[in-house]
Amino acid sequence: MADEEPADDVELEARLAEQEVFEPPESFVEQANVTDEGIYEEFEGNWPECWESAADLLSWYEDYDQVLDDSNPPFYEWFTDGKLNASYNCVDRHLDERADEVALEWIGEPVDEANRSITYEELHREVNEAAAALRDLGVGEDDVVTMYMPMIPQLPIAMLACARIGAPHSVVFAGFSAEALATRMNAADSEYLLTCDGYYRRGDPLDHLDKTNEGLADVEHDVETVVVDRLGSDGFGHELTDDQHDYDDLLAAHEGATVEPVERDAEDMLFLMYTSGTTGEPKGVKHTTAGYLGWTAWTTKYALDVKPDDTYFCSADIGWITGHSYIVYGPLALGTTSMMYEGTPDYPTRERLWQIIEEYEATQLYTAPTAIRSFMKWGAEYPANHDLSSLRLLATVGEPINPRAWKWYYKHIGGEECPVVDTWWQTETGGHMVTTLPGINDMKPGSAGPPLPGLDVQIVDTHGEEVEAGRAGYLTVQKPWPGMLRTLYNNDQRFIDEYWAEYSETDSDDSDDWVYFPEDGAKIDDDGYITVLGRVDDVINVSGHRLGTMEIESAIVGVEGVAEAAVVGGEHDLKGEAVYAYVILEEGHEGSDEMRARIVEGVEDAIGPIARPEEVVFTPELPKTRSGKIMRRLLEGIANEEELGDTSTLQNPDVVEDIRGKTGDD
Ligand code: WTA
């Protein structure tokens, strides 16, 4: 806590609190992959050919004819008629120089210390054997293969094996329910599944095959299933059925097999990813081979500054897009060492992540604001016990990061010597879109930064006109980019409706009339730095004023003693909507009237009396989706005293009733 810190730390804290702009550390700039700020102008003047720089990071069987075919917007095609294979690009081509270097550094749950350092040569062998086994099971080019696995090495290996034989994968996050698995398999007509017997969580074995089988019972067609044995003797003793095959047996039967990588067209589908959409049918986001792989490689190199000799650590789960793009495809395309961690950051102790970074001498850490807020809540003493000096760059993704958490990350994890890159992007964009380039741009905590070179991002009003600097509007992307989704699987119309209809002239075949709308609110400052305010469905309207719930949350989290906050709109007779704030406090702080007053004051100070919370509810937890996103809609339901419907898909369903009991009782 601040009052126990030595005097120089207090001074430093005060200075940090004031500072709004941070220059990239010189030691970083000296070695950065890109340092020439001319890149912005150069890309703008040479668009779309500038994106040859992404294609140039890949190895091709046949060169492409055209960088961009925009003749049928919004169905853009990139690097047309080029031929390549993603598995070749992520594995084979590194063998000449890096066969003995580690490709995947797998750190298992501490319980059985089943760590594996998988070299490129070993990865090549196992990907080939898996590809041969899948082919023998009947998997053909363009068959969708579903994967329902936690953070075990067989997951990226299976993804690369599929890429090798031209079978798109559809990874379903292992924490999702049986029903979610079935819905996705049915939607994609997927006849193949890779899963596992179970896995460890905080030292205890979990039965995953039972959940898998429950899901399979609801799949409308026959499925061949491959089961990885993760638990060994800790397993649950399931007998495999006739259409269930043991992964190790299959690989043993294909020992030493090699499979020629299939020459895929640039625009052939690499994978499908269903977004966890809180309502309605999940959206099957389709990504293609060249544009996606080029985009992830380019952004991994330039925004995350990854080099082949790095030991790069992204703490996301491969079941989400961040893990696809920034644990598997981007890093492996560059031939670096990518770490993957099976466990949680606080098991067996709150030092786990820092101990791993120290032990493996990780050079980058890419994590999410929600994790950083937990680290803050636990306290700086845990990272302080470890030598984190191997870190060169820190990154965040997933939601806006409030300046206080940014500065904590910068100071306590980066030792003020690592740039922090705040990367705004989505499942649909394939990779980063708005972020500083760490060797070029100054950083402004809370603002993701300028759009990447070659991207035309504008903040517009409801009519699509650009808003003035400082005013809230809607984030739009006015020109296509290689990593973009190509459509929603089997649903071109929904693709247009969800992402384009809002700001495009949808009867036009001139690509200038088409504007991509990611459904985020944002504002831009005089330097062109973009602050993302959150999903526009999270914007609330208080007395005719539009307020970003994220902005209010940021203000609340800025109050000393607050760990996390979620703000929603509740109906209000006079104001239309009023601000309801749900707040988690740091350990050692109490939900007193005094604290409530400080929170209200913090919001009034940061935004104005208009954003003053009607109610502040202290709670030990917030309802979160399995992916860790706060379920604001549920909180809105509580604030408005509505029926809440099914809450069983939450990470923590019990917290809902607890919060409901506390809302409106003071
Ligand atoms: C939000 C995750 C602010 C945003 C890669 C977006 C962010 C949604 C940031 C996509 C960031 C992601 N700052 N907001 N740096 N990164 N978001 O598809 O609302 O899981 O639309 O992709 O997360 O979430 P998704």
Side-chain angles (χ1 to χ4, degrees):
M1 297 292 103
D3 51 357
E4 291 163 18
E5 284 170 11
D8 55 340
D9 248 23
V10 174
E11 254 169 55
L12 178 67
E13 208 74 63
R15 177 170 65 68
L16 275 177
E18 292 292 311
Q19 194 172 340
E20 286 176 358
V21 179
F22 291 73
E23 281 178 18
E26 222 164 274
S27 55
F28 178 87
V29 175
E30 275 165 14
Q31 58 78 62
N33 282 338
V34 57
T35 51
D36 178 3
E37 57 187 303
I39 189 172
Y40 288 93
E41 221 167 278
E42 184 194 319
F43 273 43
E44 198 181 330
N46 186 32
W47 190 91
E49 279 71 29
C50 55
W51 289 121
E52 285 178 12
S53 65
D56 287 348
L57 293 176
L58 307 178
S59 301
W60 299 78
Y61 298 119
E62 254 178 63
D63 210 357
Y64 50 89
D65 294 335
Q66 220 183 334
V67 174
L68 168 65
D69 176 353
D70 60 359
S71 59
N72 182 28
F75 301 98
Y76 297 100
E77 298 194 344
W78 287 86
F79 313 121
T80 55
D81 295 325
K83 302 266 186 282
L84 76 170
N85 182 285
S87 166
Y88 177 86
N89 271 279
C90 291
V91 187
D92 305 47
R93 67 167 171 159
H94 306 309
L95 291 179
D96 274 353
E97 290 186 6
R98 310 189 54 79
D100 297 330
E101 303 293 331
V102 175
L104 289 170
E105 192 72 80
W106 180 62
I107 299 113
E109 261 267 329
V111 60
D112 66 344
E113 299 199 346
N115 303 344
R116 274 178 78 187
S117 298
I118 303 171
T119 64
Y120 275 96
E121 186 168 18
E122 289 161 344
L123 183 64
H124 182 256
R125 187 167 61 233
E126 196 160 329
V127 165
N128 271 279
E129 290 171 357
L134 288 174
R135 220 179 226 178
D136 271 2
L137 267 189
V139 178
E141 215 177 324
D142 292 317
D143 287 343
V144 176
V145 177
T146 303
M147 288 159 204
Y148 189 42
M149 283 191 267
M151 288 290 281
I152 54 178
Q154 290 85 354
L155 174 55
I157 287 167
M159 290 162 73
L160 293 165
C162 281
R164 196 167 193 86
I165 58 177
H169 51 75
S170 165
V171 178
V172 178
F173 175 58
F176 269 147
S177 64
E179 193 185 314
L181 172 68
T183 313
R184 284 157 178 74
M185 290 192 75
N186 286 327
D189 234 338
S190 173
E191 296 177 348
Y192 302 93
L193 172 68
L194 284 104
T195 183
C196 62
D197 60 340
Y199 54 100
Y200 296 101
R201 260 298 165 265
R202 304 173 157 277
D204 294 326
L206 279 186
D207 192 339
H208 191 61
L209 192 52
D210 192 47
K211 191 164 76 163
T212 305
N213 286 335
E214 203 187 307
L216 281 171
D218 289 331
V219 176
E220 291 148 5
H221 48 264
D222 290 341
V223 177
E224 295 286 341
T225 303
V226 178
V227 184
V228 173
D229 176 2
R230 167 70 184 98
L231 294 177
S233 57
D234 279 342
F236 294 85
H238 292 287
E239 293 283 328
L240 298 188
T241 60
D242 284 348
D243 48 15
Q244 295 186 324
H245 314 271
D246 178 77
Y247 177 90
D248 294 325
D249 289 350
L250 283 187
L251 258 65
H254 293 85
E255 202 186 327
T258 51
V259 173
E260 258 322 285
V262 170
E263 292 192 12
R264 295 286 277 171
D265 191 274
E267 282 294 316
D268 279 341
M269 172 157 58
L270 178 61
F271 68 90
L272 266 180
M273 165 135 263
Y274 283 93
T275 57
S276 61
T278 36
T279 54
E281 286 284 291
K283 302 189 264 193
V285 170
K286 175 182 162 181
H287 281 294
T288 55
T289 308
Y292 172 83
L293 195 62
W295 194 252
T296 54
W298 196 95
T299 48
T300 304
K301 180 165 179 177
Y302 293 116
L304 301 177
D305 199 55
V306 167
K307 302 181 170 69
D309 289 336
D310 281 340
T311 302
Y312 155 87
F313 186 16
C314 169
S315 72
D317 192 294
I318 295 176
W320 305 111
I321 193 69
T322 303
H324 276 51
S325 300
Y326 298 110
I327 295 176
V328 184
Y329 286 111
L332 296 183
L334 296 180
T336 194
T337 298
S338 185
M339 294 165 68
M340 57 182 288
Y341 175 47
E342 186 184 27
T344 51
D346 58 348
Y347 180 82
T349 73
R350 290 174 172 178
E351 307 210 1
R352 179 65 173 156
L353 224 51
W354 318 122
Q355 177 245 320
I356 290 172
I357 289 169
E358 180 173 23
E359 184 178 338
Y360 289 87
E361 299 183 30
T363 42
Q364 286 89 348
L365 174 64
Y366 194 9
T367 189
T370 180
I372 297 166
R373 291 193 300 262
S374 294
F375 304 150
M376 260 173 90
K377 181 176 151 194
W378 299 339
E381 61 269 29
Y382 299 105
N385 283 338
H386 295 273
D387 177 3
L388 305 180
S389 61
S390 58
L391 289 171
R392 189 172 83 237
L393 174 138
L394 303 175
T396 82
V397 59
E399 54 178 319
I401 181 166
N402 58 293
R404 197 161 148 250
W406 191 105
K407 289 172 186 178
W408 189 92
Y409 195 31
Y410 177 76
K411 179 186 171 201
H412 294 286
I413 309 304
E416 297 185 82
E417 284 180 13
C418 302
V420 174
V421 288
D422 174 357
T423 60
W424 176 87
W425 59 292
Q426 310 179 292
T427 304
E428 292 86 343
T429 67
H432 305 152
M433 299 292 282
V434 177
T435 172
T436 49
L437 286 174
I440 296 179
N441 306 116
D442 289 350
M443 299 164 272
K444 299 186 186 184
S447 162
L452 284 172
L455 289 182
D456 186 356
V457 174
Q458 290 180 16
I459 313 303
V460 303
D461 62 19
T462 44
H463 308 293
E465 301 296 327
E466 267 192 280
V467 299
E468 279 167 51
R471 307 208 50 139
Y474 302 100
L475 198 160
T476 60
V477 190
Q478 307 269 333
K479 283 196 188 120
W481 66 100
M484 67 197 304
L485 80 162
R486 296 303 193 262
T487 191
L488 292 177
Y489 192 55
N490 286 339
N491 205 339
D492 290 346
Q493 190 56 47
R494 187 170 179 203
F495 170 61
I496 293 175
D497 294 345
E498 296 252 4
Y499 302 106
W500 304 90
E502 191 87 20
Y503 292 110
S504 308
E505 290 173 33
T506 51
D507 51 2
S508 168
D509 55 17
D510 180 348
S511 79
D512 288 345
D513 294 329
W514 287 81
V515 174
Y516 175 81
F517 180 44
E519 293 185 271
D520 271 335
K523 60 186 184 185
I524 190 162
D525 72 9
D526 289 325
D527 300 325
Y529 276 53
I530 292 170
T531 296
V532 177
L533 301 171
R535 307 289 300 192
V536 284
D537 34 20
D538 294 332
V539 167
I540 56 177
N541 192 328
V542 179
S543 306
H545 297 267
R546 215 171 254 253
L547 295 173
T549 49
M550 303 284 188
E551 240 182 345
I552 305 173
E553 285 166 15
S554 174
I556 296 177
V557 179
V559 173
E560 176 72 35
V562 173
E564 188 156 11
V567 163
V568 298
E571 281 168 31
H572 189 279
D573 284 350
L574 290 176
K575 302 175 180 171
E577 277 183 296
V579 175
Y580 279 70
Y582 296 87
V583 176
I584 305 180
L585 295 177
E586 281 173 3
E587 254 151 71
H589 291 266
E590 254 184 36
S592 58
D593 286 346
E594 195 258 341
M595 179 57 98
R596 197 169 264 125
R598 284 208 286 126
I599 288 172
V600 170
E601 190 186 274
V603 174
E604 290 193 349
D605 283 350
I607 302 161
I610 185 72
R612 186 193 167 95
E614 189 75 13
E615 198 164 327
V616 176
V617 179
F618 296 107
T619 171
E621 270 183 81
L622 291 166
K624 287 192 175 161
T625 62
R626 300 271 161 96
S627 64
K629 291 216 161 86
I630 297 167
M631 282 284 284
R632 290 195 170 68
R633 230 160 286 172
L634 265 182
L635 293 171
E636 274 166 28
I638 294 170
N640 291 317
E641 299 175 42
E642 290 163 1
E643 285 288 332
L644 296 181
D646 182 17
T647 56
S648 64
T649 55
L650 292 180
Q651 209 178 70
N652 48 0
D654 294 343
V655 74
V656 173
E657 281 316 309
D658 182 55
I659 293 179
R660 198 212 279 277
K662 287 181 188 157
T663 303
D665 68 359
D666 61 344

